[in-house]
């Protein structure tokens, strides 16, 4: 139950609602399909990482007021500590986020999306994980550690909201600070750094990264998402 309660909060952090789209530089959608690779790295307390990689094939369709983007999942890779191998395998086989759709304005900024984490699947995975941990780990401190790792893995599930300017960056670097007030009255903050690199001329690929630092109750959690867009 504890993992189920924690998971929505942790999972929502990198995918906070994006600010209202702003006018960006001139944009022309690619004529050929693109491959979007999203790599999410979440640091664990022991210095290790959970790394979830998803690759999508994107098709851009012109509309009167912008573009429609259809994304189809190509593959999923999950790297996790040995204690979570069974859960990582379940995540690799998940198909509930096999694709999504976006609508872009004429400047290439995301104005609408039809995608999101499947909270029902996350709850079922949490329950499965707790059962596996209870069967495999008998010492209570080790069990609590495994459950903590599980909650962090659940935070990598699903498709977090893409940065609104991922296809046409507004600036090479942007920083955002958001104060948080939790239901118990405690304060926290989320600091977000977004960095866009110019396309690589040899590979025609471009990298966009988002680093999220969440400070809550004296704890500090760091996650990083790297998005690579290349013809494919």
């Amino acid at each position: 139950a504890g993992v189920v309660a924690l998971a929505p909060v942790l999972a929502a952090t990198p995918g906070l609602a994006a600010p209202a789209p702003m006018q960006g530089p001139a944009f022309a959608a690619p004529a050929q399909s693109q491959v979007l690779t999203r790599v999410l790295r979440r640091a664990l307390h022991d210095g290790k990482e959970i790394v979830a990689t998803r690759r999508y094939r994107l098709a851009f369709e012109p509309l009167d007021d912008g573009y429609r983007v259809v994304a189809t999942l190509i593959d999923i890779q999950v790297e996790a500590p040995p204690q979570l191998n069974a859960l990582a395998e379940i995540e690799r086989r998940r198909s509930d986020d096999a694709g999504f759709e976006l609508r872009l304005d004429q400047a290439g900024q995301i104005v609408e999306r039809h995608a999101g984490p499947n909270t029902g699947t996350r709850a079922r995975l949490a329950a499965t994980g707790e059962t596996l941990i209870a069967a495999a780990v008998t010492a209570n401190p080790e069990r609590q550690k495994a459950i903590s790792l599980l909650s962090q893995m659940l935070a990598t599930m699903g498709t977090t909201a893409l940065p609104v300017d991922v296809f046409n960056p507004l600036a090479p670097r942007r920083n955002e600070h958001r104060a948080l007030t939790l239901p118990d009255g405690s304060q926290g903050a989320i600091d977000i750094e977004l960095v866009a690199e110019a396309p690589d001329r040899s590979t025609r690929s471009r990298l966009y990264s988002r680093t999220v630092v969440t400070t809550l109750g004296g704890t500090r959690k760091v996650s990083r998402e790297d998005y690579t867009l290349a013809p494919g």
Side-chain angles (χ1 to χ4, degrees):
V3 173
V4 176
L6 280 172
V9 175
L10 292 172
T13 300
L16 289 172
M22 297 171 281
Q23 192 69 20
F27 176 75
Q32 67 182 106
S33 65
Q34 303 285 301
V35 172
L36 175 68
T37 301
R38 168 187 176 265
V39 181
L40 171 58
R41 293 178 171 85
R42 186 173 297 277
L44 302 177
H45 299 303
D46 58 4
K48 296 180 181 179
E49 289 184 324
I50 295 175
V51 182
T53 301
R54 285 175 173 78
R55 296 174 65 243
Y56 299 89
R57 179 162 286 111
L58 308 184
F60 291 78
E61 175 188 337
L63 302 174
D64 291 339
D65 58 350
Y67 303 89
R68 175 174 174 256
V69 181
V70 178
T72 304
L73 182 68
I74 300 174
D75 61 43
I76 300 175
Q77 298 175 20
V78 182
E79 301 173 31
Q83 303 98 310
L84 296 178
N85 278 344
L87 276 300
E89 184 59 28
I90 294 173
E91 172 67 352
R92 292 183 192 106
R93 297 181 180 182
R94 270 194 333 117
S95 61
D96 60 298
D97 64 345
F100 58 90
E101 292 186 13
L102 304 170
R103 188 169 67 83
L104 313 182
D105 63 17
Q106 293 180 340
Q109 309 297 296
I110 298 174
V111 294
E112 186 178 339
R113 65 195 85 207
H114 300 282
N118 186 315
T119 54
T121 297
R122 183 181 295 111
R124 290 194 298 273
L125 183 57
T128 301
E130 288 187 338
T131 300
L132 288 171
I133 289 169
V137 182
T138 56
N140 190 59
E142 291 301 315
R143 183 182 302 161
Q144 292 303 317
K145 179 180 178 181
I147 289 177
S148 175
L149 292 176
L150 171 62
S151 69
Q152 294 181 67
M153 179 178 173
L154 292 175
T156 70
M157 290 180 56
T159 304
T160 58
L162 295 170
V164 295
D165 63 339
V166 66
F167 299 115
N168 191 25
L170 296 168
R173 183 182 299 269
R174 290 190 292 127
N175 291 278
E176 301 175 12
H177 175 82
R178 305 178 190 179
L180 296 177
T181 300
L182 301 183
D184 63 2
S186 60
Q187 301 295 308
I190 295 179
D191 291 283
I192 304 171
E193 181 183 50
L194 303 107
V195 179
E197 296 182 5
D200 184 293
R201 292 185 178 182
S202 62
T203 62
R204 292 183 296 163
S205 65
R206 180 168 59 78
L207 178 69
Y208 191 114
S209 68
R210 171 168 57 188
T211 301
V212 180
V213 179
T214 305
T215 306
L216 292 173
T219 64
R220 184 175 183 270
K221 290 185 171 63
V222 179
S223 67
R224 174 181 168 122
E225 292 169 277
D226 290 321
Y227 299 91
T228 303
L229 188 68

